[in-house]
Each structure stands twice: as structure tokens, then as C-alpha cells.
Amino acid sequence: MSTGDPAVLDPRPDNTEYEHWPYNFGQFSPDPEDRKPPPETSNPREAPSESNPFESDCKVDIAFLMDGSWSIGKRRFKIQKDFLAEVSQALRVGPAGPMMGIIQYGDDAVTEFSLKQSSSSSDVKLAINKIVQKGGLSHVGKALSYINKHFFSDANGNRGSAPNVAVVLVDGWPTDRVEEASRLARESGINIFFVTIEGPDENEKQNVVEANFVDKAVCRTNGFFSHPIKSWFALREAVQPLVKSVCDTDRLVCSKTCLNANDIAFVIDGSSSVGTGNFRTVLQFVANVTREFEISDTDTRVGIVQYTYEQRLEFAFGQHNNKADLLNAIKRINYWSGGTSTGAAITYAADQLFSKSKPNKRKIMIVITDGRSYDDVRAPALAVHRKGVIAYSIGIAWAAQDELEYIATDPDREHSFFVDEFDNLHKYVSKMFENICNEFNSQPRN
């Protein structure tokens, strides 16, 4: 915990005015010693319902990032704890449904309890009651980096089959930048939600470290992932809307899946033996495979190299960041014609594409050739395998089976295919897609 005058450390509004406001907010009441007895005429709120309308399909792993900074004050910190307890009750936390953990952040972030430490809503409530305010500044960016690196792991109870969700509660605004940390978290498949309480008004925006920080952080900027709350005393109204959002798994589009977690390089033979018509057939195959994936700068990215004796980068990863543009770019590729140096093309793809691949993307190379290479393919293929590239080979007509197996990642039967003629390429679109997804789904998801 840091020392000194919080007002000097943090330019956000002082919280002392709240210390004198009357409380009668049901579960959001202050500690028992501070509570005044309600008048006999008051109607106490009913206990929250234990039913969860989303229980049947609400299987998500959720990290709640709670604000422990000095600006929040003692009473608002208590309101925040009560809010999280009520959210857990509405979620019906359990192994067959949603699981949740809590990280408190201030100057630094700390895990209060992980996904596997509380297996029911009652366990969560008991754990929340024990949380003590950290103090410090409101370093949300640092907290997002922390959960991306440390929270969603198998050791902490991450289930792999459940989408990862991070819900950030922030009083006012962060005191550090969130854009880069959020981008990395999204690219790791974390769906980021923001609950901002008493955000900056027009006069306060000059104090904000990063303008439009919510839009820069959330999974999508369509409003679904942001819940602005005007007052701490209205926070309880966000319980059901938030639960509905995090349980709407169809809209958790930042989840890392086989559809959106790849950098895919197509290495296409443009030699004279292919011919113009067959080359168009190859491009149609590439387009049909590409069509199966979610394409954007933070989802799957596609790059293409065409080769003969020489190599040509048709376009790089991230150059076409939506599916329509990408498919049009594939259609516009011109047939080159020449010899066949597949080994050099693999090395070229490694240098021009995979060297610029994002660290949390699966690197996939798909080599399509119709003949034996004039150069060695074994050493270049081994080099990219060692760099973590998953290599597929597709041979057509006169392609050499031994070279296809050298190029392909083991086991060969799942990564190498042979087609007797170009017109039969289309039969392998679904097989290629299924193998990519089966391989992804068989890996541990950290």
C-alpha cells in the first residue's frame, strides 16, 4: 500500500462527499456498525433470486478486476464487493456453468482468488467478504497485462472449453494506458468488458491519461462490452445486464478459437507446368479455405507467396483485414510461370511472413505444388518446423510424395495430401479446415 495524500497521487474527484450520504441500498449497505436502523415503514428489498436464466448455456471463465485504488474510498469499495457478490449469485457459479475469480488492482494487481478456488456462489461470497482494499493508483493497463500472463492458465482452473472473460470495474478512469495491454489480451482470446462508474465529465476529460480508453480496451466497440454507470448507487442496476452480456457466448467474439487464432501463409506454385486455368483453380481453393476463418487484424490473418525459381510476396499478414478485401486480393493474383524452387519459397515465406507473425498466433503454412522441386525442401522445411510453424503440403499431379512428407508437420497423414488433378482440389477444402481445427482443439488452451 502506498502512503501519502491520495489527492496528490490521483487527480480524480475526492470521495469524502460520499461518506456523509445516507445508505439504504439493501445489499449495498455499509458495515453493521455504521448502519442506522431503517424506519418501520420501509420495505426491505427482497433477496436476489437464485435463478439464472442463462444457466443452461452460461459456461464461461470470468476474471473480475476490482478497483482497489485510493480514489474509490472505503464505502464505495464495500459497494463494489457487494455488487460482485450479487453478480456471483445471479450467475450461479459452479463447475457445470460459469466460474469466476477476482483480481484487485491498484499500483499493482493481485489475485484475490482464482477460478478453481471457489466452486459455488456461496464460496465466492465468503471469499469476497475477506478482500481488503489495496490502495494506490488505478493501473488498469497493468492489471490487464497481469491477467493475460498469469490468470487464465490450466493451473488456475482455466477450462479451455469455456470462453475467457475479463470484467474491469473502474472508478472514474484509469491512471495508466490500457490500449496495448488490452490488444494483447484480446489477441489471447480474452473478451474484455468495462464497467465504468462515474466516468469523466467534459471538464474532467483533460485529466484522463488516455482518451476513449473504453473503446480502445473492449472486445468490440458496439456497446455490448461497455457498461457505463452514472453513480455508485446505481451500480446494482448493472447486475442483470452484465450477467446477460457475459453469458451471451455467441457474442463473445474475442474468444480464441481455431477460426480466429492463426497467421496462415499460402505458398503457391506458379511454375510453367501449372498453367493459367489450373492456377485459377488453385486460387479458388485458397479462397474457399480462407472463407472458413474469421478475418481481421486481431483474428486470423492471411499472407500469400507465389513462387517459380524466384519468389514474390503477393500480400503480407494484416494487409487485408476483412474477408471481402482478402478474397478480392486473392482473386487479383496474376499467374507468374517459370521453374519450381519450393525449398527457397519456404525459406522466403519464413523471412517475409512468419518473422512478422504475432507471438500469440498459431503459425500455419500451406504449400501447394504440382511437381518436384529443383532445390532441396528438407532443410528449409525442418527450419520452419523448429520455429513452431505447422506445415501442410498439398501435391497435385506430378508432385513428389517424398517432398510432400518432408514439408508436412508430423504426422504426415494429417498434414499432407495428394490430388490426382487440379479439378479435385475442392474436395480437400473441408478436410483442410477440419484438420486445422482438430489440431487446435487438441492443444491445451492457456
Side-chain angles (χ1 to χ4, degrees):
M1 293 175 60
S2 59
T3 59
D5 183 0
V8 174
L9 298 173
D10 194 335
R12 291 176 293 178
D14 183 27
N15 63 287
T16 52
E17 60 180 299
Y18 291 90
E19 305 299 328
H20 307 290
W21 284 17
Y23 279 70
N24 187 13
F25 288 84
Q27 219 176 335
F28 292 158
S29 300
D31 295 330
E33 61 267 25
D34 297 326
R35 186 185 299 119
K36 295 180 181 179
E40 293 183 2
T41 55
S42 65
N43 295 318
R45 288 187 183 269
E46 295 179 1
S49 170
E50 283 291 320
S51 64
N52 176 10
F54 317 105
E55 183 177 11
S56 59
D57 58 357
C58 184
K59 187 177 181 181
V60 290
D61 290 341
I62 313 174
F64 285 91
L65 281 68
M66 67 184 303
D67 190 340
S69 64
W70 289 128
S71 74
I72 198 171
K74 176 183 175 182
R75 300 200 186 245
R76 287 186 288 181
F77 189 75
K78 177 67 166 61
I79 291 175
Q80 186 178 205
K81 288 172 62 173
D82 290 342
F83 170 77
L84 290 171
E86 191 163 348
V87 167
S88 73
Q89 203 168 18
L91 282 169
R92 294 292 296 275
V93 170
M99 297 294 286
M100 67 177 279
I102 290 181
I103 297 93
Q104 184 184 171
Y105 67 90
D107 291 332
D108 297 296
V110 62
T111 299
E112 297 291 353
F113 57 89
S114 68
L115 294 166
K116 69 177 184 181
Q117 287 178 284
S118 298
S119 59
S120 68
S121 296
S122 57
D123 288 345
V124 169
K125 186 175 181 180
L126 289 172
I128 290 171
N129 286 339
K130 298 176 182 177
I131 295 175
V132 177
Q133 186 176 4
K134 280 171 55 67
L137 298 178
S138 185
H139 287 342
V140 174
K142 187 179 285 189
L144 287 167
S145 295
Y146 174 86
I147 65 160
N148 190 26
K149 294 175 182 177
H150 304 294
F151 188 82
F152 290 109
S153 66
D154 293 343
N156 285 335
N158 185 53
R159 290 174 288 183
S161 59
N164 292 160
V165 173
V167 179
V168 182
L169 288 86
V170 60
D171 172 46
W173 56 88
T175 52
D176 65 349
R177 294 185 175 274
V178 303
E179 183 172 16
E180 181 65 10
S182 300
R183 181 183 66 80
L184 293 173
R186 293 195 306 270
E187 290 178 357
S188 296
I190 300 173
N191 294 273
I192 300 174
F193 289 78
F194 257 68
V195 179
T196 49
I197 305 101
E198 298 181 4
D201 61 27
E202 288 302 318
N203 294 327
E204 294 168 331
K205 285 183 178 180
Q206 62 184 353
N207 298 322
V208 177
V209 172
E210 189 173 31
N212 302 316
F213 64 89
V214 172
D215 284 348
K216 293 177 180 178
V218 293
C219 182
R220 292 290 186 272
T221 57
N222 56 9
F224 177 75
F225 293 89
S226 56
H227 294 259
I229 310 298
K230 292 182 178 180
S231 165
W232 276 94
F233 303 121
L235 184 57
R236 189 177 193 177
E237 298 170 7
V239 170
Q240 287 301 328
L242 180 61
V243 169
K244 183 178 180 180
S245 295
V246 300
C247 286
D248 191 348
T249 53
D250 289 340
R251 298 183 69 180
L252 299 183
V253 290
C254 281
S255 297
K256 193 176 183 182
T257 71
C258 68
L259 303 181
N260 63 20
N262 316 293
D263 278 343
I264 303 177
F266 289 92
V267 181
I268 304 172
D269 185 345
S271 62
S272 301
S273 59
V274 174
T276 303
N278 288 335
F279 187 76
R280 305 314 301 176
T281 301
V282 170
L283 292 183
Q284 187 60 58
F285 171 82
V286 170
N288 288 341
V289 172
T290 299
R291 207 185 304 270
E292 300 291 335
F293 294 92
E294 296 171 7
I295 304 298
S296 81
D297 185 48
T298 57
D299 295 312
T300 291
R301 307 186 304 169
V302 173
I304 293 182
V305 168
Q306 184 184 174
Y307 72 95
T308 58
Y309 282 131
E310 299 177 289
Q311 310 84 34
R312 184 168 73 197
L313 180 63
E314 299 293 354
F315 52 82
F317 294 144
Q319 194 169 329
H320 301 287
N321 287 327
N322 66 69
K323 193 172 293 185
D325 288 350
L326 178 57
L327 294 174
N328 284 331
I330 293 170
K331 186 177 180 180
R332 292 194 300 268
I333 294 174
N334 293 318
Y335 173 51
W336 203 357
S337 186
T340 309
S341 293
T342 308
I346 292 170
T347 300
Y348 182 84
D351 292 342
Q352 297 295 317
L353 290 173
F354 292 119
S355 66
K356 302 173 178 64
S357 189
K358 295 185 177 182
N360 50 13
K361 294 294 185 184
R362 282 200 313 162
K363 297 184 283 289
I364 297 174
M365 179 178 69
I366 301 174
V367 178
I368 306 171
T369 182
D370 81 327
R372 181 173 289 278
S373 178
Y374 292 165
D375 64 354
D376 175 62
V377 302
R378 194 180 319 191
L382 185 59
V384 296
H385 294 166
R386 287 173 173 168
K387 292 179 179 178
V389 175
I390 302 167
Y392 289 83
S393 61
I394 301 174
I396 309 159
W398 303 281
Q401 186 64 40
D402 60 333
E403 290 185 346
L404 296 178
E405 291 176 0
Y406 290 144
I407 293 168
T409 296
D410 290 329
D412 295 338
R413 67 181 180 276
E414 294 176 13
H415 298 88
S416 182
F417 309 98
F418 184 84
V419 186
D420 56 354
E421 58 184 54
F422 284 90
D423 287 341
N424 287 329
L425 261 178
H426 71 275
K427 297 178 181 179
Y428 285 83
V429 171
S430 59
K431 181 66 174 175
M432 175 67 65
F433 177 70
E434 287 171 10
N435 283 20
I436 290 172
C437 279
N438 287 340
E439 188 166 39
F440 176 89
N441 293 329
S442 68
Q443 301 300 313
R445 185 163 173 266
N446 293 322

